[in-house]
Amino acid sequence: MAQPRGSKPRYLDPGRTIDERVEDLLERMTLEEKVGQMCQYSGLPAQYETMVKEGRVGSFLNVIGAENTNRVQRIAVEQSRLGIPLLFGLDVIHGYSTIFPIPLGLASSWNPDLVRRAASVAALEASSEGIRWTFAPMVDIARDPRWGRIAEGAGEDPYLGSVMARAQVEGFQGDDLASPDSVVACPKHYVAYGGAEGGRDYNSVDISERTLREIYLPPFRSAIVDAGAGTIMSAFNDLNGIPASANRYTLTTILREEWDFDGFVVSDWNSIGELVNHGIAGTPEEAAKEAASAGVDMDMQGNIYHTSLVQLVKDGRVSEKTIDEAARRILRIKLR
């Protein structure tokens, strides 16, 4: 049944730890509700509001304005069975209402404190309208001038990129994610997206382990390990033949086992569905299996998890433990 108006769900009990609250929620959630937390949609057509009531949406992007975010958030909290809030995300890249120089220009200041303050202003303005998650900073190292997304990052140097990545994450997130003027950061695009062959966006990336670890990974490590970014975005490209959104080595071995990352991974826009284009999956169902098993927790706009994961679990092709862990990571960030 829906959460009674004015009552306080147990998961908001301040006397319990966040992990205790998360586990309490997981015990009470259906498989469909867990998968719902793993689904993100863009915009607000009418059918999405019905899905929110049913607990089948975890996040929205591109929903702008306090009136809209508050209205849909009330549906989630007051009319869904468990009252789990939505997380609203947006590309708040170099300002929200106040626009600052592009990230490449900010990096050219060589002033991380200034960059941190700019990100803090953007967080304050975005959070005032219900946006509590930004798909930034872009920390891709770019060394081919033909690549059209150079303007979004800090350039070609991994040290400068690492310093700027940390400054932006600290500016966005502040000292406490629970602060009303904080937004969760999401460094992107993990990983080596800027190494696309011929500077062609989405193209293949073929680099050595040394180049990966010395050039492309340091800014991500700085954002995650040093600054504590709560989320990270998996990329479109393949890395040495394995698509980034199905790459267990980068998403699990490096990110979670080496760096102890306990936040969640969101795909880039339909990058799970595009695993079919990469040839690693023959069907959307196979794409969902590959991405979830590799460590992608949330499907951005692709609708692949929504249509496939429940049946994959029932068929024994994806473990419910995998679903539980993904939902746990998402709920943990929401409660933080």
Side-chain angles (χ1 to χ4, degrees):
M1 61 180 292
Q3 183 68 38
R5 185 181 294 272
S7 65
K8 180 176 286 190
R10 286 188 67 209
Y11 68 78
L12 292 179
D13 182 354
R16 307 168 73 218
T17 68
I18 285 178
D19 285 342
E20 288 172 338
R21 294 181 234 173
V22 168
E23 295 308 314
D24 175 67
L25 273 174
L26 284 173
E27 287 177 9
R28 294 194 282 163
M29 294 172 76
T30 65
L31 174 60
E32 289 77 8
E33 288 168 333
K34 293 172 186 175
V35 171
Q37 289 299 305
M38 301 169 68
C39 299
Q40 181 186 65
Y41 296 97
S42 176
L44 274 178
Q47 70 264 30
Y48 288 170
E49 295 188 16
T50 300
M51 292 170 65
V52 171
K53 293 177 184 178
E54 297 170 349
R56 293 191 289 149
V57 180
S59 174
F60 282 108
L61 74 158
N62 298 331
V63 176
I64 301 172
E67 181 179 355
N68 289 321
T69 57
N70 285 339
R71 178 175 59 81
V72 183
Q73 192 70 283
R74 286 193 184 98
I75 295 173
V77 173
E78 297 176 1
Q79 298 182 39
S80 70
R81 188 177 75 91
L82 294 175
I84 301 172
L86 299 162
L87 185 57
F88 292 94
L90 190 69
D91 282 299
V92 182
I93 305 298
H94 54 105
Y96 186 73
S97 296
T98 305
I99 302 302
F100 297 95
I102 61 172
L104 189 63
L106 290 170
S108 298
S109 72
W110 302 90
N111 189 332
D113 183 59
L114 190 65
V115 172
R116 187 180 298 108
R117 289 163 57 196
S120 179
V121 170
L124 172 65
E125 294 178 347
S127 62
S128 73
E129 296 197 352
I131 305 299
R132 297 302 302 271
W133 184 19
T134 175
F135 305 122
M138 193 195 93
V139 300
D140 298 308
I141 296 298
R143 293 186 163 182
D144 189 328
R146 295 171 294 183
W147 190 50
R149 301 191 69 167
I150 290 175
E152 298 177 55
E156 64 183 353
D157 182 69
Y159 176 72
L160 178 63
S162 298
V163 170
M164 292 302 166
R166 178 172 184 169
Q168 290 177 84
V169 171
E170 291 175 345
F172 285 131
Q173 297 193 165
D175 296 327
D176 185 359
L177 288 178
S179 172
D181 58 0
S182 167
V183 298
V184 183
C186 185
K188 62 184 186 184
H189 308 80
Y190 188 73
V191 57
Y193 188 53
E197 291 183 359
R200 297 177 64 190
D201 205 21
Y202 294 21
N203 206 3
S204 298
V205 176
D206 189 2
I207 56 177
S208 67
E209 177 84 3
R210 177 180 176 182
T211 299
L212 175 68
R213 290 187 175 272
E214 292 188 1
I215 305 301
Y216 292 98
L217 281 175
F220 286 100
R221 190 183 190 282
S222 180
I224 296 295
V225 177
D226 299 332
T231 68
I232 194 169
M233 183 184 294
S234 62
F236 283 115
N237 60 282
D238 73 73
L239 177 61
N240 300 335
I242 306 297
S245 290
N247 196 316
R248 183 172 177 82
Y249 177 64
T250 56
L251 293 171
T252 296
T253 302
I254 294 176
L255 186 61
R256 300 198 182 280
E257 295 175 4
E258 293 185 17
W259 296 353
D260 294 324
F261 177 62
D262 69 349
F264 72 85
V265 177
V266 62
S267 76
D268 205 339
W269 185 284
N270 192 35
S271 66
I272 296 174
E274 291 195 10
L275 295 178
V276 176
N277 302 64
H278 278 286
I280 197 172
T283 64
E285 292 77 17
E286 290 177 3
K289 175 182 178 294
E290 292 293 334
S293 300
V296 179
D297 303 305
M298 184 178 286
D299 176 13
M300 180 189 285
Q301 185 56 24
N303 205 39
I304 304 296
Y305 280 178
H306 171 71
T307 58
S308 303
L309 276 183
V310 171
Q311 193 60 48
L312 285 168
V313 172
K314 291 179 178 179
D315 292 344
R317 297 172 64 193
V318 172
S319 167
E320 189 162 1
K321 282 180 149 183
T322 298
I323 306 301
D324 286 348
E325 188 54 41
R328 178 179 288 114
R329 294 163 181 159
I330 294 165
L331 292 170
R332 185 187 294 134
I333 291 298
K334 286 187 174 187
L335 291 179
R336 284 179 182 168

